[in-house]
Amino acid sequence: QVQLVQSGAEVRRPGASVKVSCKTSGFMFTGYYMHWVRQAPGQGLEWMGWIDPNSGGTNYARKFQDRVTLTRETSTRTAYMELSRLRSDDRAVYYCAREVGGTVVFFDYWGQGTLVTVSS
Amino acid sequence: EVVMTQSPATLSVSPGERATLSCRASQFVSTNLAWYQQKPGQAPRLLIYGASTRATTIPARFSGSGSGTEFTLTISSLQSEDFAVYYCQQYNDWPPLTFGGGTKVEIK
């Protein structure tokens, strides 16, 4: 069955970076774009960007363009999200989500989420 | 950027009753709209896509309607497991993909 398993909670200082992983199984990793969405405590969902695991091509939300890097490792079927220059308002749960594919862009499977806390 | 506005923010409903949730887009999104359900401590779950197509395993009591800028998610008879937060998401004009602020369905 399709599974997206994310790495555990992280705590970072302001100005530091964090890298979250999303290990997949149960489907062809290179066949589906992977997106990242975050959710601040008690808030809604915010799209960050996507990666094409086949080519490594990426597209980032303008808000995060200079701070986020999406990468993948096809041998381990894992996607990564790295966010740099962390601020206190980056405290959120970060999700990876599999895009259904084709011309439609919504998400049929999600990781369990990774809480990133930014605190001095 | 397409702004998605959901109303009401909170909906108090008794089990067995009908719940009607609204989602409005700031510009035309055709039927390129999805609905998700999120329970505390869990990831969102896809309910509806294409504005009205139920995702796999989603019960028939969930239905979606609308097109253009106005959309509705209806839960015909609320079950205990349906109390959650519901989000709409447009995928017609992106990046960025945008979500509504959510509607919390709580027990009355």
Side-chain angles (χ1 to χ4, degrees), chain B residues 15-36:
Chain B
E17 288 188 342
R18 182 187 195 90
T20 302
L21 290 66
S22 296
C23 174
R24 173 177 293 179
S26 63
Q27 61 193 66
F28 179 84
V29 298
S30 186
T31 55
N32 294 314
L33 184 109
W35 288 94
Y36 301 87

Side-chain angles (χ1 to χ4, degrees), chain B residues 38-79:
Chain B
Q38 187 178 36
K39 297 180 180 179
Q42 296 184 16
R45 177 174 75 140
L46 178 66
L47 296 177
I48 301 281
Y49 61 91
S52 61
T53 303
R54 276 190 305 278
T56 307
T57 75
I58 301 304
R61 63 181 181 272
F62 291 92
S63 64
S65 64
S67 66
T69 61
E70 301 282 346
F71 301 88
T72 301
L73 175 70
T74 302
I75 312 171
S76 59
S77 175
L78 271 158
Q79 306 298 302

Side-chain angles (χ1 to χ4, degrees), chain A residues 35 37 39 43-47 50 59 95 104-108 110-111, chain B residues 32 34 36 38 42-44 46 49 87 89 91 94-97 99 101:
Chain A
H35 295 243
V37 176
Q39 186 172 38
Q43 302 301 307
L45 301 165
E46 184 173 33
W47 179 76
W50 60 251
N59 185 290
Y95 293 101
V104 290
V105 189
F106 53 88
F107 313 118
D108 56 354
W110 296 65
Chain B
N32 294 314
Y36 301 87
Q38 187 178 36
Q42 296 184 16
L46 178 66
Y49 61 91
Y87 293 97
Q89 177 231 323
Y91 50 94
W94 70 285
L97 293 167
F99 294 84

Side-chain angles (χ1 to χ4, degrees), chain A residues 26-76:
Chain A
F27 66 99
M28 189 173 73
F29 178 64
T30 54
Y32 294 83
Y33 284 25
M34 196 66 69
H35 295 243
W36 290 83
V37 176
R38 79 175 186 178
Q39 186 172 38
Q43 302 301 307
L45 301 165
E46 184 173 33
W47 179 76
M48 301 180 70
W50 60 251
I51 184 167
D52 174 358
N54 186 47
S55 67
T58 56
N59 185 290
Y60 303 129
R62 189 171 300 175
K63 174 178 179 177
F64 301 103
Q65 191 133 23
D66 60 343
R67 294 199 299 136
V68 70
T69 304
L70 301 183
T71 57
R72 91 295 190 213
E73 192 172 83
T74 55
S75 62
T76 60

